[in-house]
Amino acid sequence: MARILITSAIPYINGIKHLGNLVGSQLPADLTARYLRARGHEVMFICATDEHGTPAELAAAKAGKPVEQYCAEMHEVQKELGAGFRLSFDHFGRSSSLRNRALTQHFAGRLADAGLIAEVSEKQVYSHADARFLPDRYIEGTCPNCGYDKARGDQCENCTKQLDPTDLINPRSAISGSTDLEIRETKHLYLRQSALKGQLRDWILSKTKPDADGNPAWPVLTTSIALKWLDDGEGLQDRGITRDLYWGVPVKKGTEDWPGMEGKVFYVWFDAPIEYIAATAEWADAQGLPDAAWQRWWRTDKGAADVRYIEFMGKDNVPFHTLSFPATILGANHDGAEPWKLVDYIKSFNYLNYDGGQFSTSQGRGVFMDQALSILPADYWRWWLLSHAPESSDSEFTWENFQASVNKDLADVLGNFVSRITKFCRSKFGEVVPEGGAPGPREAALIDELTTRIRAYEANMEAMEVRKAAAELRAIWVAGNEYLQSAAPWTVVKTDPEAAAAMVRLSLNLTRLYAVLSAPFIPDAAASTMAAMGCDDWTWPTDIAAALTLLPPGHAFTVPEVLFRKITDEERADWQARFSGVRT
């Protein structure tokens, strides 16, 4: 049994997330966590809400609420929606927690002791109308690269170019809309990432090939983004880690005040990744466990040396997780006294686009998690998103494709198999696994095919090849349908009831096996199938022939409700029209 730590990129608190956010980190992380638990491994799956920084303040102001109240309410909303999509977090924390505050300040102190933090005087935009310095995201204007007129001072959402506020054309305050801005001098702390460039490069290059334990190399998407940031232009730059904001972790050097930094907070991208560690500590606190319980996941001198740590994220988060957060971890261990766990594997994703355009939280474009659950259960969405995950390139959600995938994969293949065999058995043998007969060459051929395909499915799941795993799972479902169609027990029963009984017995056992194999993708349907089979044995199959005899003759079952209903053309047209505009 291995010990595996899984984190998915923590979502911003500023509103409900769309399906692109979901498939870019949390959902494939959940898929992997569920699979690894099913294989008997010890898994710690951690996520949280990212609550500090400009987006939280702006969203709270727009909602007319104090930022603390807004964040508390939105945390509960996001937590509930995560549960609605059956995301199996061991803990879903908050970056505004006391644990994260203390850990962030602790890391800052360690980095300062290592000489890796510099105080830098810089020029920053000051708004007279708002009587305050404006952080990057509080400034909007026209992007000099693509002409988008709502670019932020840190990045253009349209072309993704990294920006400084002074790059913007016709800049204005995102708070008041005022253009009465001036550049003033202020002092901030910078993390001297450039001092760790060689160490970071060696570490990243070590991930471009399989390791000594046979674990796969990082995806090319991950390493190419990291190396680009290391080498393009002037190379890896030192990065500001403080801001002039009210809402955030107050700047301290460990537990001590930091002279000259009064009234400032740490930049959200400094404290947010530290919340992975803090959320694990929050988990221990919630369980009434001592610090040793979370430290065994994060400190290599306290048990984490044998932990495999996997991160899931969209490609826009890769630079921070391959450079900035590792720089924090490495720098904190400058004297060897604090060996924190570095990530072993980063699974990064491209973007999911929406019906000819982009999903956008800030613009309210696309289908959002609450809307999705209001029209169909979670498994429908989980299946489509995972089977179309944007791994090697961007992918696109269209309502036509969604309808076709649900109707063909879930209803016609899996749902059809379960419905046909249980209803046929009830009509001819009653609601029990029938006795009589023995498997023949056709059954042996099916077992051979299933064995090959299940081993391929496992290999894809272990390599975190999400789309390939989905395709293999569908092929496993198809194999059952093809067997049933070829064996035709409804015909055989007329002349050889014993042979038909053997076919039905194997097929009912295959139904239970499908529940086990499918649970990481579609947990609700798997649970209802297993319940209908009158079984609670979720043992992962190693010997397929043995697994197909687990339900003995005489074992009672019930015919389940329809697992998946088809989406009608009328529904698809209605949803397409309903979600074509911008969410307000």
Side-chain angles (χ1 to χ4, degrees), residues 328-345:
T328 298
I329 295 292
L330 291 168
N333 191 37
H334 61 93
D335 56 1
E338 290 194 9
W340 296 92
K341 178 67 182 175
L342 279 166
V343 64
D344 293 298
Y345 189 84

Side-chain angles (χ1 to χ4, degrees), residues 134-174:
L134 296 180
D136 299 350
R137 284 184 173 233
Y138 274 36
I139 307 164
E140 292 181 343
T142 300
C143 174
N145 185 55
C146 71
Y148 181 60
D149 64 358
K150 293 181 181 177
R152 300 189 307 255
D154 62 341
Q155 185 179 28
C156 176
E157 188 181 59
N158 186 57
C159 69
T160 72
K161 183 176 179 61
Q162 301 287 317
L163 299 170
D164 288 319
T166 52
D167 295 332
L168 294 174
I169 301 167
N170 300 323
R172 60 188 178 274
S173 166

Side-chain angles (χ1 to χ4, degrees), residues 283-398:
W283 161 82
D285 293 341
Q287 305 296 318
L289 299 172
D291 284 349
W294 68 263
Q295 289 172 347
R296 69 188 285 266
W297 292 101
W298 284 103
R299 286 283 293 268
T300 59
D301 58 339
K302 298 185 178 181
D306 63 343
V307 168
R308 177 164 164 75
Y309 175 23
I310 306 169
E311 293 177 348
F312 288 80
M313 70 196 63
K315 61 185 177 183
D316 53 331
N317 285 333
V318 169
F320 297 100
H321 289 79
T322 55
L323 300 171
S324 299
F325 185 40
T328 298
I329 295 292
L330 291 168
N333 191 37
H334 61 93
D335 56 1
E338 290 194 9
W340 296 92
K341 178 67 182 175
L342 279 166
V343 64
D344 293 298
Y345 189 84
I346 295 178
K347 176 68 174 180
S348 54
F349 290 85
N350 289 280
Y351 295 137
L352 176 68
N353 295 318
Y354 177 71
D355 223 7
Q358 289 184 325
F359 276 97
S360 173
T361 298
S362 61
Q363 296 178 35
R365 188 174 192 280
V367 183
F368 290 74
M369 290 172 67
D370 59 338
Q371 296 170 329
L373 292 178
S374 74
I375 59 176
L376 284 171
D379 280 351
Y380 292 72
W381 301 103
R382 287 177 64 102
W383 174 253
W384 189 91
L385 290 167
L386 291 167
S387 61
H388 294 77
E391 290 177 291
S392 58
S393 62
D394 291 353
S395 58
E396 182 170 10
F397 176 90
T398 68

Side-chain angles (χ1 to χ4, degrees), residues 34 38 49 51 68 79 155 173 187 201 281 325 331-332 342 439 470 477 489 492 500 538 555 563 565:
R34 286 178 176 275
T49 38
E51 300 187 11
E68 296 90 343
K79 183 178 180 181
Q155 185 179 28
S173 166
K187 186 178 287 187
R201 176 188 294 282
F325 185 40
L342 279 166
W477 298 340
V492 174
W538 292 89
H555 178 88
L563 283 185
R565 68 171 184 81

Side-chain angles (χ1 to χ4, degrees), residues 111 114-118 190-202 230 234-239 323 326-328 330-331 334:
L111 293 166
L116 291 171
I117 289 185
Y190 273 65
L191 175 59
R192 296 181 56 235
Q193 298 181 138
S194 59
L196 296 166
K197 182 175 180 178
Q199 202 172 347
L200 288 167
R201 176 188 294 282
D202 291 344
L230 274 174
E234 298 177 9
L236 183 62
Q237 300 293 299
D238 297 341
R239 189 169 187 88
L323 300 171
T328 298
L330 291 168
H334 61 93

Side-chain angles (χ1 to χ4, degrees), residues 23-257:
V23 75
S25 59
Q26 292 176 320
L27 190 53
D30 178 71
L31 175 76
T32 302
R34 286 178 176 275
Y35 170 75
L36 292 171
R37 290 190 194 110
R39 300 307 306 273
H41 302 303
E42 183 183 2
V43 174
M44 177 62 68
F45 180 23
I46 292 294
C47 194
T49 38
D50 183 359
E51 300 187 11
H52 290 141
T54 311
E57 286 197 1
L58 289 175
K62 188 175 181 179
K65 297 177 180 179
V67 66
E68 296 90 343
Q69 177 186 343
Y70 174 83
C71 287
E73 291 175 357
M74 284 308 303
H75 170 78
E76 289 303 315
V77 169
Q78 292 202 22
K79 183 178 180 181
E80 182 178 338
L81 286 171
F85 274 94
R86 305 302 184 250
L87 303 178
S88 59
F89 304 122
D90 288 285
H91 188 74
F92 188 68
R94 301 183 62 185
S95 70
S96 61
S97 69
L98 293 177
R99 278 288 195 177
N100 198 43
R101 174 179 292 207
L103 270 171
T104 299
Q105 292 167 340
H106 172 79
F107 274 107
R110 292 286 298 172
L111 293 166
D113 293 343
L116 291 171
I117 289 185
E119 295 187 12
V120 177
S121 291
E122 62 178 36
K123 292 181 178 179
Q124 191 173 330
V125 176
Y126 184 86
S127 169
H128 291 279
D130 301 303
R132 62 179 291 177
F133 283 102
L134 296 180
D136 299 350
R137 284 184 173 233
Y138 274 36
I139 307 164
E140 292 181 343
T142 300
C143 174
N145 185 55
C146 71
Y148 181 60
D149 64 358
K150 293 181 181 177
R152 300 189 307 255
D154 62 341
Q155 185 179 28
C156 176
E157 188 181 59
N158 186 57
C159 69
T160 72
K161 183 176 179 61
Q162 301 287 317
L163 299 170
D164 288 319
T166 52
D167 295 332
L168 294 174
I169 301 167
N170 300 323
R172 60 188 178 274
S173 166
I175 304 171
S176 61
S178 173
T179 58
D180 185 11
L181 311 176
E182 72 166 288
I183 305 297
R184 288 189 182 180
E185 193 165 288
T186 185
K187 186 178 287 187
H188 281 288
L189 301 179
Y190 273 65
L191 175 59
R192 296 181 56 235
Q193 298 181 138
S194 59
L196 296 166
K197 182 175 180 178
Q199 202 172 347
L200 288 167
R201 176 188 294 282
D202 291 344
W203 175 64
I204 291 166
L205 288 175
S206 75
K207 304 300 183 181
T208 60
K209 53 187 179 296
D211 64 19
D213 297 324
N215 292 312
W218 284 6
V220 173
L221 178 65
T222 302
T223 52
S224 62
I225 291 173
L227 293 172
K228 181 177 181 180
W229 275 63
L230 274 174
D231 296 328
D232 272 14
E234 298 177 9
L236 183 62
Q237 300 293 299
D238 297 341
R239 189 169 187 88
I241 61 167
T242 57
R243 289 292 186 270
D244 289 294
L245 283 173
Y246 155 71
W247 179 238
V249 175
V251 176
K252 286 194 172 186
K253 191 182 299 184
T255 58
E256 301 174 6
D257 290 334

